[in-house]
Structures are given as C-alpha cells and as structure tokens.
Amino acid sequence: MSTADGTWNVYLSGEIHSDWRQRIADGVREAGLPVKLLAPVTDHVASDDVGANILGEEQDQFWRDHKGAGVNAVRTRTLLQRADVVVVRFGDKYRQWNAAFDAGYAAALGKPIVTLHDSELAHALKEVDRAAMAVGETTEQVVEILRYAIAG
Amino acid sequence: MSTADGTWNVYLSGEIHSDWRQRIADGVREAGLPVKLLAPVTDHVASDDVGANILGEEQDQFWRDHKGAGVNAVRTRTLLQRADVVVVRFGDKYRQWNAAFDAGYAAALGKPIVTLHDSELAHALKEVDRAAMAVGETTEQVVEILRYAIAG
Amino acid sequence: MSTADGTWNVYLSGEIHSDWRQRIADGVREAGLPVKLLAPVTDHVASDDVGANILGEEQDQFWRDHKGAGVNAVRTRTLLQRADVVVVRFGDKYRQWNAAFDAGYAAALGKPIVTLHDSELAHALKEVDRAAMAVGETTEQVVEILRYAIAG
Amino acid sequence: MSTADGTWNVYLSGEIHSDWRQRIADGVREAGLPVKLLAPVTDHVASDDVGANILGEEQDQFWRDHKGAGVNAVRTRTLLQRADVVVVRFGDKYRQWNAAFDAGYAAALGKPIVTLHDSELAHALKEVDRAAMAVGETTEQVVEILRYAIAG
Amino acid sequence: MSTADGTWNVYLSGEIHSDWRQRIADGVREAGLPVKLLAPVTDHVASDDVGANILGEEQDQFWRDHKGAGVNAVRTRTLLQRADVVVVRFGDKYRQWNAAFDAGYAAALGKPIVTLHDSELAHALKEVDRAAMAVGETTEQVVEILRYAIAG
Amino acid sequence: MSTADGTWNVYLSGEIHSDWRQRIADGVREAGLPVKLLAPVTDHVASDDVGANILGEEQDQFWRDHKGAGVNAVRTRTLLQRADVVVVRFGDKYRQWNAAFDAGYAAALGKPIVTLHDSELAHALKEVDRAAMAVGETTEQVVEILRYAIAG
Amino acid sequence: MSTADGTWNVYLSGEIHSDWRQRIADGVREAGLPVKLLAPVTDHVASDDVGANILGEEQDQFWRDHKGAGVNAVRTRTLLQRADVVVVRFGDKYRQWNAAFDAGYAAALGKPIVTLHDSELAHALKEVDRAAMAVGETTEQVVEILRYAIAG
Amino acid sequence: MSTADGTWNVYLSGEIHSDWRQRIADGVREAGLPVKLLAPVTDHVASDDVGANILGEEQDQFWRDHKGAGVNAVRTRTLLQRADVVVVRFGDKYRQWNAAFDAGYAAALGKPIVTLHDSELAHALKEVDRAAMAVGETTEQVVEILRYAIAG
C-alpha cells in the first residue's frame, strides 16, 4: 500500500514573531512530505495596515483594526476551511487570542488540531490542548507528527 | 513558505450592466493570481429567455421568469457552493435582489463575502455589508483584497 | 389524526413601513393557528439607532450603520435559525436587500420560504421567488397558506 | 405581535474572577427577559481540581489539567451547542484562551457572538471582535443588547 | 429507568387512499405511546387544488400542479425535518413518487425510516427498503415497532 | 471571463431501459462540455444479481434483493454525493421509486435537480418536479441546460 | 445564576448484563439532577428476537439478526441524536462492538462522550477513550461528572 | 459513458495482524481500479509507541496510550473524512473497538460501509453490519464490490 495518501493541507495558526513556520517548512521539505503549508499573513505591519491600505484610512483605531481583521479573515477563513490539519502555535509574548479562536473554529469543524507551545503555558492552555490530538513543544515534534500521520 | 495556496474559486455575484467583472478579471490576471472567476450568465437577454428558449415558451410572464430562473439556478447554485470567496456587486440601477440573495446564501454556508458598491448605497445595504468581511467601492480594491488574501 | 402539529415558528422578514405583519398576526389569531410570529424590530428609528444608542455614537455614518446592523443581527440571525417557515415581504418602496439576504440565508438552511409582493415586482424578484415554495400577493393568502400547512 | 419570542439561551464565556455574570443576571432579571443564562463552572479551584477530584489524582500536572479540562468540556460543549447567543468576556488578567476558543467554536456554528472587554484590549482582540455582532465594554450594554434582541 | 423518553414525532408519508394512518393512530393510542403523528394533507382534492384555491387559478395544468405542490411542501418539508422517525407507505395504486422522494430526503438527513407495503412491491422497492431500518407489511407491525422503539 | 468553470459531475438517475443516458453523453461530447457523467449500473440483470453473485446466493428473494441493493448503493451513494447536478429520468414503464428516492436525497443535500419525463407523468411527479430547478421532456433539453449552466 | 440549565438527555450505551444503568439512575435521582436517561432495550432476549417477533421469523440467522438490529436501530439512532451526552460502558464479557460504534457515531456528531470501563481494558480501548472527554471506572464517577457538568 | 468515475478513496479500517489490506491492494491493482487505499499505520509497535516516541515517554501507561492514540487520530480522522467508502475488518483476535468506532464515525457522516469478517462473528457484529451496505467474508468479495461500484 502506498504511503503517499495525496497532498495534506496543514494550516499553521498563531505566533508570527518567531521562525516556527519556516522551521516546519524546512522539516517538511527535508522529510519529502506531500504537504501544502497554509498560514495567515505573517508580516505584522502589513497585516495590521491592510484594511486601511486597501479600503481607506480610518480615524478611529477600533474601526481601523476591524477593517484589517476583515480583510485578513478572507484569507484565514478560506484556508482554515481548506485545511486537513490545524497546527496552533502559542508563543510567550502577546495574547494570540486569534490562535485560540482558530482552534475553536477548527474543533467545531471536526478537524484534527496539534498545539505547539512551551510547557509553562500548559495550564493556561488546558482547554485548547484538551481539544487537540497532540501537544508539542518543538517544531521537530510537529514535523514528526506530520511525517507519521502522512507517511506512516 | 509558498505564497501560492492553490487555486481560489471566486464567485462574482450581482450587477450585469457594467464591466466590473472584466475589470476584476483583468486585475487578477495582471496580478498573476491563481484565481478562477465564477459568475452567473451576464447576457441579460440570454438569461431572461433561457427557460423559454430551452424548455418552451410560456404565455404567463411569471412562469416564463420562473422557468428561466430555474435554469439559471442550476448554474448559480453549483458555482456558489464551489466558491471559496463570494464578491457581491450592487450597482445604482435595478434592485439586484438576487445579489442580496446570493450573499445570504453564502453567509449561511460560512463563506467569506466581499461587497462592492458606491458609498451612497451603504445605508440601504448595511445588513448585507455587516455579513461581509470587506466592503469596497472599486474593482481595484477587490483585486487588492484577493491579492492579499491569496498571495499574502 | 390531530391537525395540531405543535407550534410553528414563522419569521416575517422584510418591509417595515406597512401593516402586513399585523394583518398576518390578526389572520393567524382569527384562524386559531398555533403560530409564533417572529420578526425583526420594525421601529425604523429604533432599528437604525440601536448601535449608537447602546454602544456609543459614531461620527462616521458607515460605522454607525455597521454597529446597528450588528445588534439587529443578534436578533434576526437567532430568529431565522429558529424559524420553521420564512415569509419574505417586498414592498414598492426601499430596496429591502436585507429581505432578499434573509431569503438566501433561509434557502441555504433548507427552510420553506413564502414570498409576498405585488405582481409588478415579479420580474425583478424571479430568483428569490424561484427559491420560494409559494408566492403570494396578499396577507390573506399567506394566512391561508399557513392555515393549510399547519391545520390541513 | 408579541415581543416574547420564547426563551433565549445565552452562554456567558470567559473571565471568572469578576462579577460580570452576576451583573448580567441582575440586569436580565430586572428587565424581565425570558433568558436562561448558561456558563462554565466559575469556581476556579473546583474547575481546576474536578478531574483529579472525581477521576483520581495525577502526578503529572499536564495530565491533571487534561483530565479537568475534559470534565469541564462535558459541560461547556453541551451548553455552547445549546446557546442561541454567546457572550464572551475578556478581562485584563489571565490570558483566557478558552474564551477565544469558545468564540471560534460558536462562530463556526453560526451563532451570534457578543464580546465584552475594555477598549485597551481591542487591538489584541480584533480578530475575535470581527467575528462578533457587537462589542461592548459594560455589562449594562450587554443587557441592553439582549433586551433589544429579545424584546424589540 | 423510565421507558418514556419524551414525545416522538413520527411522519407518515405516502399512500392517501386507504386508512393506514388511522389504523396506526388507533394502535398508537391504544398502546398509550407518547407519539405525535405528522402527515401530509390526505384529502386528495384539497391537496391537488390548494395552489389554485389560495394563490389563483392557472390555465396550464403543469403550473397548477406546481403551485399546489409548493404549498403542500411548506407543510411536508417542515414536518419531515421535525420528524424523529419516518414511516413510508406504498400502496398498490398510483406511483407515489412523493413517498419515495420523502424517503430519500429522510435518508440524507439520517432519520430512521420504516417502510410499509405488500410483499409483491418488494422487488420494485428494494433500493428504498435498503435505506430503511425495517420493512413491514401491516400497520400492526408499524405500531409494534414504534412501541418497541419508544417503550422498550 | 472564461466559460470553462472546471469539470462538472452530473449524476444521471433513473430509467435504465432506454438510451437516454447515451443520448445525453453524445450531446455533451458534441457540445464539448467539461462534464463527467455518473450513473448507476444500467445492466438490469447485473444490477439485480450483483449481491448474490458476489456475496452468495439467497433463497429468500427479499434478502437477495436487499443484498443487491446494498452493493449498488455503495456505488450510487458515493456518486450522488460527488455530483454537482442530478438529472432524474422517469420512463413510462416500471415505477422507478429509486429515481424519486435519489431526487429526495439530492434535494436534502441542496444539489440542483433536473427532471426528465413525458408530460403525461407530470401530475404524478408534481412533488418531485417542484423540488427540481428544471423539468425537461427531451435529452436535447437536458444537454442544452447543461451547456447553458456550464458554458454560459 | 441558576445551576439548573434545563433537562439533559444522557444516552447510556453498551453493556447490558450488569446493573450499571440502574446505579447511574439511582445516583442521578439521589443527586436530584434534571437528567433524562436514554438507553437501548436492555432485555437481551427481547432485543435479539424483536425483528423476528414483529416482522416474521427468519430461517437464516444472519437475516434474523439483521432484522432485529434494524428495529433496535429505530430506537438507538433516534435517542443517540437526541442525546446531549453519551456514556459508553464496556464490560469484560462480550465484545460490545455496538458500544464502540455508538461512540464513533456520537464523536462525528460532536457530542461529549464519557467512557466507563475497568482499567484492564484501557489499552484496547485507547482510541475510543481518546475521543472521550472523560474515562471513568465506576458509576459513581459518572454520576459525579454529570452532577458537575449540570449543577456546577 | 465512461466506467471510470474518477479516483475513489477507500479507507481500510480494523485488523492489523493479517495481510487482508495487502490482498485487497493486490486485487485492486490487478483489476486496474482507480482506487487510492487509505489505512491507519499497521505496524503495531510503531502505532503503540508513536506518542511516547515523538512527544516524550510517559510513566503512566494510560497516558502513554492516550498520547499515542492522539497522534494516530491525526492520521485516521483525516483519512476517514477523505474516504468515499470505508471497509471495516474484524478479525478473530483482539477486540478491535477502534474498527467499530470508525464504522460509527463513517455512518454518521453518511459514507457507505463494507464490513469484512468471518460468519462466526456475525451475531456479535449485527449492529455494525446493519449500518453497512455489504457484509463480506473474503477480500476477494471486497475487491469485487469495489470493482462493481467503480467500474460497473
């Protein structure tokens, strides 16, 4: 039986201030896995400004953010719905509520979730981790999980 | 990470008496986006007459329209369900209730919606715009939203 | 076999500037039907101002409408999802895109739709009417349809 | 038309270290609204210990949390699915990732969301707020939204 | 443990020219089962004429039927969606394609189906029977199945 | 805008004793449409005997049919779920309850339906036709509907 | 806030040769919980014979079982779909594949699952337990979980 | 009409201690069927140890299994959701509750199921078999069913 079961879409949600996505991309490429990695826009400034940049500046910061979040959601909702597996990364900075939101969204759609965070965040993340199929601390572990899940 | 996340199906609903679809098509092509644009039949006469043309003439205009709307719905329902993103255009002429209908249909299916209309229609369209992730006034803005959503 | 099959939730969407909802309510009560009529808030000013009134005034009319539409949607989405049947009324004034939006939303959820409008609107409403199970011109007809559907 | 459209189930997700739920309960009762308020267990110690208390102590804190989160999820998943409207409260302490998770879960199910938080959290919460129909800063505003949505 | 698990909605689809529904109603009542029996309108003439009667006469028989079928569908779709169990009766006269349609509709919604027909129809009904959980030949059998399913 | 919107899966349900599927296949090929035609096994004997042939002979005709219907359903359920559009053909012989069952199944899944039958069957098929987007009498009409829906 | 959040439907799947259901029923009653306990028919002989008893004897044991399983499924599918929480009990005798089947069915519907079995079965049940929110060994634990989930 | 209706994803669930998957793979290849066979990881030791191997060793066997089952579920849930048809094999050793769980999961998703087991297991498997479209005893029968379903 073939170990290659078609392309897997893996959405990488969460932290944008470290190189974890690149490390997973490197690991997946080295392992030769048939994976298409999906992600939100990770350029913080571009992501924050996209609403104002495309649709016009706003005076009120709340609506400026609202516009930007809408444009980003065109991307993230589409890719989340296209994903086979959702990896959610929580870093030690920022609150990353959008990562937890994505996890809840994926859980309701019945998609397998893998969380990735340091152990000191485990207590605060226990509800999210409970909804996940695996909880990793390193990108190497995530790559190994994908390798096992896809290539057996 | 690749910025090309596969082909996106974008359904362009609404106004058929201006060149907005062509302008988006031009913009998408120039931007080199992996987008397949889907649309209803935009030839007004062909669309109005298709029921009578294929299935036989009707004396009663109501049933003539009913037949035609059914044949058109074979196309539009299929393409709406296939769409990743739905763009809904409201022009200043005609009531375009079918565009608002499509927006409601897409909203119930959880698909991201982008509306496109002049600002003077904003008050009348507030419920539809509230269900959208972005509200643009120009086709350039729609292309930019697609570019950002797809290519990051 | 009993003709009373439990309470029916009937959502009355659309026009707010005539007494059509009251006439259906009167007809339903006179017919003794086990119907709970659901509706959006029909006080035009209250509906337009609710966002600003509760959540704070806005300088920009677009966001003022956006806020108001959101608060109204808390009501309308909940009631639409609770409805067994959705009646959608189009009047000759205003564009009532929200009525067509509700029809599309209901259609995607598989709920039976009844439209109510004058015959001169029929051509413009052909796509919405095609998605409906019945197209009436008078509130008496709507009451009769409910009576037949519920009491046999 | 009656303003009483049946009982509304309103789930109150999030912060457990302030009296916001009680204040909403007081406001809802004073307004005479037909609302059933649903909530997670808000006794922090009871919630943290429930897994170990019922199913046996664990040496490893991670699995202790995992067990507890599972028992809590029997409650929260059931109530979230039963909710008509989900109110999500973010306080200034703790990360409340479970609140954001609940918001994502509710969004995927198409349930109307109302968020409640101070304005200084708005930027960090912009993705969650974008998925909400209303963003309030006070419990009085939430009660008013419920009053409007339910009683018109 | 109580044997009474709440009220069961049982939809009785199909043949309208024999007394099978009444016999099931009698049997259910004698057995004291907490069953609400749902059904299409079984007055053949009323059912055929309802569209023309309420919404206006049609010259073309096809559209006359179409109108009538729509009004009947307001009832049948609502009741089918409300049903816990769907009983589908095929008689020896008429083709009763609507009964088979209802069975397909119920099957796609995951509702348990019981078919009721003479053995000589079994070969022609094999696909519908295959989608059913039980195939009976008498109304007594249907009542017994309901009694067992509900009261144990 | 391209008129080629990807491949359309069209399921051809119903009558197996005439050449209607071949005529649609010929028409689709001549029109150059990107259509994949799906169908049940149309060899009557092979279809009737498949259960006994593969899984062992049965003495009781009912269970022989039951087995065969199950094996056929592995094919038909999969293809129905894969279909974009479902064409349902009713001939003048046989009762073709499985065709009506397929129509109900497709309707519940929200797939556009086209029925194909002679006008003398229209009254008996009114409920099925009401759930369809188009009602044709000839295979040429079906091909024209597909051509319009796909190629515009 | 009230601790009574309405009635909870709890389906008790699995082992029928011990008194575990009665013990949970006793515990729930003593705790005064608003729980409606649902269950398959637990009389082994009645359950095995119901198909033959109601629908006629079969010579072939396979079809005799098939008939009986169908009638039982009218009950179990309805109650599983009605359940808020599903408790699945595995005993040390018999294979209870139907219990695992019910767990899979409940998991796909997103319903919270609690498993109940001795620790020596844990390795063999690891996939089912992984899909559960809690894994108990005693009926007292199940009652405590329900008490916590419902009454807080 | 072509007999090749695109690639079919067939998930092979259950027994891992015999060569049944390989025999189906051989049969499918010899028949030239466009089938992609999907399966869990069938290396018993690798499957049992994967959680500990990737995510770290556990002292408690229950949590060691829990971790492993989670990683395996990333694979199995994804492939089950991707499957067109699910074949479930029960051998005479081990309890294979995960196979029955997969069958229940597939049934709730409406996917056609084929079971494969010796006749002496039939009584114990009657509920699972009732949810299947075919019950085979040999891999040759499964291959024949796939051949018929796919190639006609």
Side-chain angles (χ1 to χ4, degrees):
Chain A
M1 210 158 319
S2 169
T3 56
D5 297 319
T7 298
W8 286 51
N9 289 315
V10 178
Y11 187 75
L12 304 178
S13 172
E15 193 193 21
I16 60 172
H17 299 92
S18 74
D19 65 345
W20 71 279
R21 284 190 185 79
Q22 189 56 50
R23 295 178 64 177
I24 289 178
D26 292 345
V28 159
R29 194 187 54 247
E30 287 162 20
L33 298 176
V35 163
K36 187 183 287 293
L37 294 173
L38 312 175
V41 169
T42 56
D43 177 330
H44 195 157
V45 173
S47 169
D48 270 8
D49 294 348
V50 67
N53 282 350
I54 297 180
L55 296 170
E57 194 51 73
E58 289 290 330
Q59 294 207 315
D60 187 328
Q61 179 64 27
F62 180 83
W63 296 118
R64 194 180 194 274
D65 284 342
H66 193 77
K67 260 176 154 176
V71 174
N72 278 289
V74 174
R75 176 180 179 96
T76 56
R77 291 290 174 88
T78 301
L79 297 182
L80 255 181
Q81 292 179 17
R82 192 178 287 182
D84 295 301
V85 177
V86 178
V87 179
V88 191
R89 162 73 183 164
F90 294 89
D92 52 355
K93 291 179 194 161
Y94 303 96
R95 305 202 190 203
Q96 293 153 321
W97 280 314
N98 57 330
F101 179 90
D102 286 354
Y105 200 92
L109 297 181
K111 297 178 186 290
I113 297 167
V114 176
T115 55
L116 172 63
H117 58 79
D118 291 347
S119 60
E120 57 259 42
L121 296 181
H123 184 67
L125 278 166
K126 62 184 182 297
E127 289 90 357
V128 179
D129 283 349
R130 191 59 183 78
M133 287 301 181
V135 179
E137 293 185 47
T138 69
T139 54
E140 286 76 14
Q141 289 174 325
V142 174
V143 172
E144 274 305 289
I145 290 169
L146 292 176
R147 194 201 56 70
Y148 179 87
I150 297 169
Chain B
M1 210 158 318
S2 169
T3 56
D5 298 319
T7 298
W8 286 52
N9 289 316
V10 177
Y11 188 75
L12 305 178
S13 172
E15 193 192 21
I16 60 171
H17 299 93
S18 74
D19 65 346
W20 71 279
R21 283 190 186 80
Q22 189 56 51
R23 295 177 64 177
I24 289 179
D26 292 345
V28 159
R29 193 186 55 248
E30 286 162 19
L33 298 177
V35 163
K36 187 183 287 293
L37 294 175
L38 312 174
V41 169
T42 56
D43 178 330
H44 195 157
V45 174
S47 170
D48 270 8
D49 293 349
V50 67
N53 283 349
I54 297 180
L55 296 169
E57 194 51 73
E58 290 290 329
Q59 296 208 312
D60 187 328
Q61 179 64 27
F62 179 83
W63 296 118
R64 192 180 195 276
D65 283 341
H66 192 78
K67 259 176 155 176
V71 175
N72 279 289
V74 174
R75 177 181 179 94
T76 57
R77 292 289 174 88
T78 301
L79 297 183
L80 255 180
Q81 292 178 18
R82 193 178 287 183
D84 296 301
V85 177
V86 178
V87 179
V88 191
R89 164 71 183 164
F90 295 90
D92 52 356
K93 292 179 193 161
Y94 303 96
R95 306 202 189 203
Q96 294 153 322
W97 280 314
N98 57 332
F101 180 89
D102 286 353
Y105 200 91
L109 297 181
K111 297 179 186 289
I113 297 167
V114 176
T115 55
L116 173 63
H117 58 79
D118 290 348
S119 58
E120 58 259 42
L121 297 181
H123 184 67
L125 279 165
K126 61 184 183 296
E127 290 89 357
V128 179
D129 283 349
R130 191 60 183 78
M133 287 300 181
V135 179
E137 293 186 45
T138 69
T139 55
E140 287 75 13
Q141 288 174 324
V142 173
V143 172
E144 274 305 289
I145 290 169
L146 293 175
R147 194 201 57 70
Y148 179 86
I150 297 168
Chain C
M1 211 158 317
S2 169
T3 56
D5 296 320
T7 299
W8 286 51
N9 289 315
V10 178
Y11 187 76
L12 305 178
S13 171
E15 193 192 21
I16 60 172
H17 298 93
S18 75
D19 64 346
W20 70 280
R21 284 190 185 80
Q22 188 56 50
R23 295 177 64 176
I24 290 179
D26 292 345
V28 160
R29 193 186 54 247
E30 286 162 20
L33 298 177
V35 163
K36 187 183 288 292
L37 294 174
L38 312 175
V41 169
T42 56
D43 178 331
H44 195 157
V45 174
S47 170
D48 270 7
D49 293 347
V50 66
N53 282 350
I54 296 180
L55 296 170
E57 194 51 73
E58 290 289 329
Q59 295 208 313
D60 188 329
Q61 179 65 26
F62 180 83
W63 296 118
R64 191 179 196 276
D65 284 341
H66 193 78
K67 259 176 154 176
V71 174
N72 279 289
V74 174
R75 177 181 178 96
T76 56
R77 293 288 174 88
T78 300
L79 297 182
L80 254 181
Q81 293 179 16
R82 193 178 287 182
D84 295 302
V85 177
V86 177
V87 179
V88 191
R89 163 72 182 163
F90 295 89
D92 53 355
K93 292 179 194 161
Y94 303 97
R95 304 202 191 204
Q96 294 152 324
W97 280 313
N98 56 330
F101 179 91
D102 286 353
Y105 200 91
L109 297 182
K111 297 179 186 290
I113 297 167
V114 176
T115 55
L116 173 62
H117 58 80
D118 289 348
S119 59
E120 57 259 40
L121 297 181
H123 184 66
L125 279 165
K126 62 183 181 299
E127 290 89 357
V128 179
D129 283 349
R130 191 59 183 76
M133 288 300 182
V135 179
E137 293 185 45
T138 70
T139 55
E140 287 74 15
Q141 289 173 323
V142 174
V143 172
E144 273 306 290
I145 290 169
L146 293 176
R147 193 201 57 69
Y148 179 86
I150 298 169
Chain D
M1 210 158 318
S2 170
T3 56
D5 296 319
T7 299
W8 287 51
N9 289 316
V10 178
Y11 187 76
L12 304 178
S13 171
E15 193 192 21
I16 61 172
H17 300 93
S18 75
D19 66 345
W20 71 280
R21 283 189 186 81
Q22 189 55 51
R23 294 177 64 176
I24 289 178
D26 292 345
V28 160
R29 194 187 53 246
E30 286 162 20
L33 298 177
V35 163
K36 187 183 287 292
L37 294 174
L38 312 174
V41 169
T42 56
D43 178 329
H44 194 156
V45 174
S47 169
D48 270 7
D49 294 347
V50 67
N53 282 350
I54 296 181
L55 296 169
E57 193 52 72
E58 289 290 329
Q59 294 208 314
D60 187 329
Q61 179 64 27
F62 180 82
W63 295 118
R64 192 180 194 276
D65 283 341
H66 193 77
K67 258 176 155 176
V71 174
N72 278 290
V74 173
R75 177 181 178 95
T76 56
R77 292 288 174 89
T78 301
L79 297 183
L80 254 182
Q81 292 178 19
R82 192 177 287 183
D84 295 301
V85 177
V86 178
V87 179
V88 191
R89 162 73 182 163
F90 295 89
D92 52 357
K93 292 180 195 162
Y94 303 97
R95 305 202 190 203
Q96 293 152 324
W97 279 315
N98 57 331
F101 180 91
D102 286 354
Y105 200 92
L109 297 181
K111 297 179 185 291
I113 297 167
V114 176
T115 55
L116 173 63
H117 58 78
D118 290 348
S119 59
E120 58 258 40
L121 297 181
H123 185 67
L125 279 165
K126 61 184 181 298
E127 289 90 357
V128 179
D129 283 349
R130 191 59 183 79
M133 287 301 181
V135 179
E137 293 186 46
T138 70
T139 55
E140 287 75 14
Q141 289 173 323
V142 173
V143 172
E144 273 305 289
I145 289 168
L146 293 175
R147 194 201 55 70
Y148 180 86
I150 298 168
Chain E
M1 211 159 317
S2 169
T3 56
D5 298 320
T7 298
W8 286 50
N9 289 316
V10 178
Y11 187 76
L12 304 178
S13 172
E15 192 191 22
I16 61 172
H17 299 92
S18 75
D19 64 346
W20 70 280
R21 284 189 186 80
Q22 189 55 51
R23 295 178 64 178
I24 289 179
D26 293 346
V28 159
R29 193 186 54 247
E30 286 162 19
L33 299 177
V35 163
K36 186 183 289 291
L37 294 174
L38 312 174
V41 168
T42 56
D43 178 330
H44 195 157
V45 175
S47 169
D48 269 8
D49 293 347
V50 66
N53 282 350
I54 296 180
L55 296 170
E57 194 50 74
E58 290 290 329
Q59 296 208 313
D60 187 329
Q61 179 66 26
F62 180 83
W63 295 119
R64 192 180 196 276
D65 284 341
H66 193 77
K67 259 176 155 175
V71 174
N72 278 290
V74 174
R75 177 181 179 95
T76 56
R77 292 289 174 87
T78 301
L79 297 182
L80 255 181
Q81 292 178 17
R82 193 178 287 182
D84 295 303
V85 177
V86 178
V87 179
V88 191
R89 164 71 182 164
F90 295 89
D92 53 356
K93 292 178 194 162
Y94 303 96
R95 305 203 191 203
Q96 294 152 323
W97 280 314
N98 56 331
F101 180 90
D102 286 353
Y105 200 92
L109 297 182
K111 296 179 186 289
I113 296 167
V114 177
T115 55
L116 172 63
H117 58 79
D118 290 347
S119 59
E120 56 260 41
L121 297 180
H123 185 66
L125 279 166
K126 60 184 182 298
E127 290 90 357
V128 179
D129 284 349
R130 190 59 183 79
M133 288 300 181
V135 179
E137 293 186 45
T138 70
T139 55
E140 287 75 13
Q141 288 173 324
V142 174
V143 172
E144 273 305 290
I145 290 169
L146 293 175
R147 193 202 57 69
Y148 179 85
I150 299 169
Chain F
M1 211 158 317
S2 169
T3 56
D5 298 319
T7 298
W8 286 51
N9 289 315
V10 178
Y11 187 77
L12 304 178
S13 171
E15 192 192 21
I16 60 172
H17 299 92
S18 74
D19 65 346
W20 71 279
R21 283 190 186 81
Q22 188 57 50
R23 295 177 64 178
I24 289 178
D26 292 346
V28 159
R29 192 185 57 248
E30 287 162 19
L33 298 177
V35 162
K36 188 183 286 292
L37 293 174
L38 312 174
V41 169
T42 57
D43 178 330
H44 195 157
V45 174
S47 170
D48 270 8
D49 293 347
V50 67
N53 283 351
I54 296 180
L55 296 169
E57 195 51 74
E58 290 289 329
Q59 296 208 313
D60 188 329
Q61 179 65 27
F62 180 83
W63 296 118
R64 192 180 195 276
D65 283 341
H66 193 78
K67 259 177 155 176
V71 174
N72 278 289
V74 174
R75 176 181 178 95
T76 56
R77 292 289 174 88
T78 301
L79 297 182
L80 254 181
Q81 292 179 17
R82 193 178 286 182
D84 294 302
V85 177
V86 178
V87 178
V88 191
R89 164 71 182 164
F90 295 89
D92 53 356
K93 291 179 194 161
Y94 303 97
R95 305 204 190 202
Q96 294 151 323
W97 280 314
N98 56 330
F101 179 89
D102 287 353
Y105 200 90
L109 297 181
K111 297 179 186 288
I113 296 166
V114 176
T115 56
L116 173 63
H117 58 78
D118 290 346
S119 59
E120 57 259 41
L121 297 180
H123 184 66
L125 279 165
K126 61 184 183 296
E127 291 89 357
V128 179
D129 283 349
R130 191 59 182 77
M133 288 301 181
V135 179
E137 294 185 44
T138 70
T139 55
E140 287 74 15
Q141 289 173 324
V142 173
V143 172
E144 274 305 289
I145 289 169
L146 293 176
R147 195 202 55 69
Y148 179 86
I150 298 168
Chain G
M1 210 159 319
S2 169
T3 56
D5 298 319
T7 298
W8 286 51
N9 289 316
V10 177
Y11 188 75
L12 305 178
S13 172
E15 193 192 22
I16 60 171
H17 299 93
S18 74
D19 64 347
W20 71 280
R21 283 190 185 79
Q22 189 55 51
R23 294 177 66 177
I24 289 178
D26 293 346
V28 159
R29 194 187 54 247
E30 286 162 21
L33 297 177
V35 163
K36 186 183 289 290
L37 294 174
L38 312 174
V41 169
T42 56
D43 178 329
H44 195 158
V45 174
S47 170
D48 270 7
D49 293 348
V50 67
N53 283 350
I54 297 180
L55 296 169
E57 194 50 75
E58 290 290 330
Q59 295 208 315
D60 187 328
Q61 179 64 27
F62 180 83
W63 295 118
R64 193 181 194 274
D65 283 341
H66 193 77
K67 259 177 155 175
V71 175
N72 278 289
V74 174
R75 176 181 178 96
T76 56
R77 292 289 174 89
T78 301
L79 297 182
L80 255 181
Q81 292 179 17
R82 192 178 287 183
D84 295 302
V85 176
V86 178
V87 179
V88 190
R89 163 71 183 164
F90 295 89
D92 53 356
K93 292 179 194 161
Y94 303 96
R95 305 202 190 203
Q96 294 151 324
W97 280 315
N98 57 331
F101 180 90
D102 287 353
Y105 200 91
L109 297 181
K111 297 180 185 290
I113 297 166
V114 176
T115 55
L116 172 63
H117 58 79
D118 290 347
S119 59
E120 57 258 42
L121 297 181
H123 184 67
L125 278 165
K126 61 184 182 297
E127 289 89 358
V128 179
D129 284 349
R130 191 58 183 81
M133 288 301 181
V135 179
E137 293 185 45
T138 70
T139 56
E140 286 75 14
Q141 289 173 325
V142 173
V143 173
E144 274 305 290
I145 289 169
L146 293 175
R147 194 202 56 69
Y148 179 85
I150 298 169
Chain H
M1 209 157 318
S2 170
T3 56
D5 297 319
T7 298
W8 286 52
N9 290 316
V10 177
Y11 187 77
L12 304 178
S13 171
E15 192 192 21
I16 61 172
H17 298 93
S18 74
D19 65 346
W20 71 280
R21 284 189 186 80
Q22 188 56 51
R23 295 177 64 175
I24 289 178
D26 292 346
V28 160
R29 193 186 54 247
E30 286 162 19
L33 298 177
V35 163
K36 188 183 286 293
L37 294 174
L38 312 175
V41 169
T42 56
D43 178 331
H44 195 157
V45 174
S47 170
D48 270 8
D49 293 347
V50 67
N53 282 351
I54 296 180
L55 296 170
E57 194 50 73
E58 289 290 330
Q59 294 208 314
D60 188 328
Q61 179 64 27
F62 180 83
W63 295 119
R64 191 179 195 276
D65 284 342
H66 193 78
K67 260 177 154 176
V71 174
N72 278 289
V74 174
R75 176 181 179 95
T76 56
R77 292 288 174 88
T78 300
L79 297 182
L80 255 181
Q81 292 179 17
R82 193 177 286 182
D84 294 302
V85 177
V86 178
V87 179
V88 191
R89 163 72 182 163
F90 295 89
D92 53 356
K93 292 179 195 161
Y94 304 96
R95 305 201 190 205
Q96 294 152 323
W97 280 314
N98 56 331
F101 179 90
D102 286 353
Y105 200 91
L109 297 181
K111 297 178 186 291
I113 297 167
V114 176
T115 56
L116 173 63
H117 58 79
D118 290 347
S119 59
E120 57 258 41
L121 297 181
H123 184 67
L125 279 165
K126 61 184 182 298
E127 290 89 356
V128 179
D129 283 349
R130 190 60 183 78
M133 287 300 181
V135 179
E137 294 186 45
T138 70
T139 55
E140 287 75 13
Q141 289 174 324
V142 174
V143 172
E144 273 305 289
I145 290 169
L146 293 176
R147 193 201 57 70
Y148 179 86
I150 297 169

